[in-house]
């Protein structure tokens, strides 16, 4: 199926033309048929000569109903611009064309109606000139008469050629269905309609109500008047919902694939139309079927920041329209550049931001986004519309390569600085390093670790031995002087205190390899393990604790933890009768 919207001035025969093409009545309300004027959106469809199906979104042409017109045109990829031969180009012809141009609609067809009432040539020539200056460019044109049927076969053939040029939809894309109607059917509940531009829907799918975030279930699907189990884009669909009442979802709402879109009420955009400096402070942003008041803050000559009255599910690259409803004036089309822009708090921040935006074209760019954001979660970028094609550095965090390299350099510097500031601590806590590097996640600190840095017990240290603080080094030298010839004698607790070796000082010396800790307040010089193995290897094997204590010339206070450490290191093996034997050097 292909979907095309009508556009044109009131009473130029748009609905008559749709009726003639489809045999269906697009005006749904009795008031519309009584007045002979479309007020709200109408829908009809027909089969083209090629066998394909085309659906029309028939929009109102009166200036009082432009917001309704925009709700119908917003999600549609192509337009049929209608001009009456007997009246020619009119004000609403111009505003509808300005809206199509602002939304970037580039596929269309020009139809001159009432060719039985006047020569279509002048209207055709003027309309061609108007369209040529817009995103539609040069389009095929057909003159018809809805009353007599003249030109309808040629129009159907032209519609076939139009839809053949339309790009294929992204059927694997997430669903973003903008709701243009909402009503209740007895026995079925809430039904909404819209144009499915991308993706696919199936009965049983769970979607997300954009306005509330609540889950809703697809209870049933209709397209072209028939029930369907699945509908692929592009299509007009009616969705029967379970889990939401009609008064909680209406025109301008959106149904989304869960977790695939980011709601935003702050966005930076590029304007095509009036200069940014000339815009009113408040306009209405039209996107999809939504029309939302927006406060405008100019940034650069053609870039502005918009603060929306309510958040919308927008993507980088989306096209939208700014309109001043008070003046019935289209201020211009906008291209969304950023849906998660940084705050502007400092003097000169707006000008600096305009410089950044000047380089953006609205096409999602992973490398550029990472360069501007330094760090970003893969899921967040996906919800902005940026395809993620690189592996995360940690968890789902992505990093700009140069920023990541510099973070690694800074981490090494911060570990060294912390060691200088806290020489007796066993390395820098990961949380402290996270704050110093202004990182959002501890996992990023751990992912940055490269030799000689290492993580142990939640602290980061350098594998290389740093110099001991002078007081600790002097205390170790005194231990070496007093106990160098008695390698298995451990200073008593009071002697360690006299030397200035408290628990923190001992910890620093042990980490630096200057002392060997056997137990609390039991320390030896670092070569004691190898010396002990050599002594014990000379004993008759196996040997007892008592024999070991005598051979080592030490006390049970030292011998017990020393032998237990040798057991753990694989140098000795404890036997069932508590004797031991030497099996090799300590690991």
């Amino acid at each position: 199926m292909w979907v095309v919207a009508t556009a044109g001035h009131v009473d130029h025969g748009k609905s008559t033309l749709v009726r003639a093409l489809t045999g269906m009545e697009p005006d749904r309300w009795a008031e519309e048929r009584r007045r002979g004027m479309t007020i709200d959106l109408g829908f009809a469809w027909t089969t083209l000569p090629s066998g394909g199906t085309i659906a029309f979104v028939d929009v109102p042409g009166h200036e009082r109903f432009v917001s309704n017109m925009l709700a119908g045109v917003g999600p549609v990829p192509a337009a049929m611009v209608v001009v009456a031969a007997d009246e020619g180009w009119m004000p609403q012809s111009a505003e509808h064309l300005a809206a199509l141009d602002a939304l970037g609609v580039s596929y269309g067809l020009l139809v001159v109606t009432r060719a039985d009432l006047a020569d279509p040539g002048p209207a055709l020539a003027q309309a061609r000139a108007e369209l040529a200056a817009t995103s539609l460019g040069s389009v095929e044109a057909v003159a018809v008469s809805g009353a007599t049927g003249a030109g309808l076969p040629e129009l159907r053939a032209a519609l076939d050629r139009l839809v053949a040029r339309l790009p294929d939809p992204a059927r694997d894309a997430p669903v973003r269905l903008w709701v243009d109607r909402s009503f209740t059917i007895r026995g079925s509940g809430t039904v909404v309609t819209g144009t499915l531009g991308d993706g696919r829907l199936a009965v049983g799918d769970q979607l997300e109500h954009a306005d509330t975030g609540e889950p809703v279930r697809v209870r049933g699907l209709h397209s072209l008047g028939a029930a369907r189990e699945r509908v692929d884009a592009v299509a007009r669909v009616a969705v029967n919902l379970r889990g939401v009442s009609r008064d909680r979802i209406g025109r301008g709402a959106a149904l989304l694939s869960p977790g695939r879109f980011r709601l935003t009420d702050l966005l930076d955009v590029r304007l095509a139309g009036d200069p940014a400096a000339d815009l009113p402070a408040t306009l209405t942003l039209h996107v999809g079927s939504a029309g939302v008041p927006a406060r405008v803050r100019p940034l650069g000559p053609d870039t502005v920041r918009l603060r929306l009255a309510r958040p919308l599910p927008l993507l980088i690259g989306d096209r939208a329209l700014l309109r001043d409803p008070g003046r019935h004036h289209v201020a211009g089309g906008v291209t969304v550049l950023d849906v998660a822009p940084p705050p502007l708090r400092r003097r000169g921040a707006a000008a600096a931001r305009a410089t950044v935006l000047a380089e953006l074209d609205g096409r999602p760019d992973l490398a550029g986004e990472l360069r501007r954001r330094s760090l970003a979660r893969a899921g967040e970028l996906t919800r902005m519309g940026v395809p993620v094609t690189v592996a995360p550095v940690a968890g789902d965090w992505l990093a700009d390569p140069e920023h990541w390299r510099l973070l690694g350099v800074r981490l090494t510097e911060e570990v060294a600085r912390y060691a200088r500031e806290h020489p007796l601590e066993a390395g820098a806590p990961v949380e402290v390093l996270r704050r110093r590097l202004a990182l959002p996640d501890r996992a990023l600190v751990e992912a940055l670790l490269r030799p000689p840095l290492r993580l142990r017990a939640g602290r980061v240290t350098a594998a290389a031995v740093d110099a001991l603080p002078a007081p600790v080094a002097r205390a170790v030298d005194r231990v070496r002087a007093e106990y160098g010839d008695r390698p298995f004698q451990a200073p008593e607790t009071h002697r360690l205190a006299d030397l200035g070796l408290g628990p923190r000082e001992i910890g620093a010396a042990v980490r630096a390899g200057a002392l060997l800790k056997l137990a609390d307040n039991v320390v030896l010089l670092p070569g004691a393990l190898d010396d002990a193995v050599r002594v014990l290897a000379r004993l008759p094997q196996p040997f007892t604790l008592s024999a070991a204590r005598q051979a080592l010339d030490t006390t049970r206070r030292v011998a017990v933890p020393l032998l237990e450490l040798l057991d753990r290191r694989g140098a000795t093996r404890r036997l069932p009768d508590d004797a031991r034997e030497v099996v090799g050097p300590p690991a």
Side-chain angles (χ1 to χ4, degrees), residues 543-554:
F543 56 86
T544 64
L545 171 63
S546 178
R549 181 181 61 76
Q550 293 177 33
L552 296 172
D553 187 24
T554 189

Side-chain angles (χ1 to χ4, degrees), residues 475-492:
V476 171
D477 287 342
R478 292 177 66 181
V479 171
R480 189 176 293 111
E482 292 183 20
Y483 296 91
D485 57 350
R486 295 176 293 160
F488 307 112
Q489 293 289 323
E492 297 290 339

Side-chain angles (χ1 to χ4, degrees), residues 101 115 138 166 185 222 251 266 328 353 356 410 564 568:
D101 184 39
S138 178
L166 295 179
I185 294 179
H222 276 70
R251 177 172 293 173
L266 189 70
H328 304 292
R353 180 62 177 164
V356 172
R410 287 186 56 205
E564 290 176 347
R568 293 194 298 273

Side-chain angles (χ1 to χ4, degrees), residues 38-330:
T38 300
I39 296 173
D40 206 346
L41 302 177
F43 309 100
W45 59 90
T46 189
T47 300
L48 293 173
S50 64
T53 300
I54 187 169
F56 294 98
V57 180
D58 188 32
V59 306
H62 197 282
E63 65 178 6
R64 297 205 314 270
F65 306 116
V66 169
S67 60
N68 289 351
M69 172 266 181
L70 292 172
V73 169
V76 173
M80 183 169 68
V81 180
V82 178
V83 179
D86 57 337
E87 291 191 356
W89 196 255
M90 297 291 282
Q92 286 311 116
S93 307
E95 184 166 13
H96 281 204
L97 179 59
L100 295 173
D101 184 39
L103 293 170
V105 177
S106 56
Y107 297 91
L109 182 66
L110 173 61
V111 182
V112 177
T113 58
R114 301 182 188 171
D116 57 319
L117 300 181
D119 177 8
L124 183 65
Q126 184 179 6
R128 276 187 184 277
E130 297 287 348
L131 268 61
T134 70
S135 58
L136 286 168
S138 178
V139 299
E140 187 173 356
V142 182
V144 303
S145 168
T148 68
L152 288 180
E154 291 79 4
L155 176 56
R156 289 190 176 93
L159 286 167
D160 241 339
R161 290 189 290 273
L162 169 65
V163 298
R165 294 188 295 112
L166 295 179
D168 291 332
R171 293 190 173 91
D172 292 330
V175 168
R176 180 175 50 169
L177 180 68
W178 295 100
V179 174
D180 51 40
R181 276 201 301 156
S182 173
F183 51 91
T184 301
I185 294 179
R186 180 176 297 178
S188 296
T190 301
V191 176
V192 300
T193 67
T195 299
L196 181 65
D198 289 307
R200 54 173 53 94
L201 284 171
V203 173
D205 282 354
Q206 181 171 296
L207 300 173
E208 186 176 277
H209 185 346
D211 289 351
T212 65
E214 62 188 314
V216 296
R217 185 75 63 179
V218 177
R219 183 178 180 181
L221 282 173
H222 276 70
S223 183
L224 304 182
R228 314 278 181 177
E229 285 297 311
R230 192 183 84 169
V231 177
D232 290 350
V234 172
R236 285 294 304 173
V237 292
V239 187
N240 182 197
L241 297 175
R242 178 183 290 115
V244 63
S245 59
R246 177 193 173 187
D247 59 359
R248 297 177 66 188
I249 186 167
R251 177 172 293 173
L255 295 175
L256 312 172
S257 294
R260 296 299 301 273
F261 291 87
R262 185 185 196 280
L263 291 177
T264 182
D265 62 357
L266 189 70
L267 57 149
D268 289 345
V269 303
R270 171 159 289 112
L271 178 69
D274 293 351
D278 295 341
L279 294 179
T282 303
L283 292 168
T284 298
L285 180 76
H286 292 271
V287 59
S289 62
V292 179
R295 294 204 308 272
V296 180
R297 178 176 180 176
L299 298 175
D302 65 347
T303 53
V304 298
R305 174 160 293 186
L306 301 178
R307 172 74 71 175
L308 306 182
R310 66 179 175 91
L312 294 175
L314 299 179
L315 301 173
I316 293 172
D318 275 345
R319 293 295 298 263
L321 177 149
L322 284 174
R323 183 172 182 268
D324 185 348
R327 294 194 299 159
H328 304 292
H329 170 66
V330 174

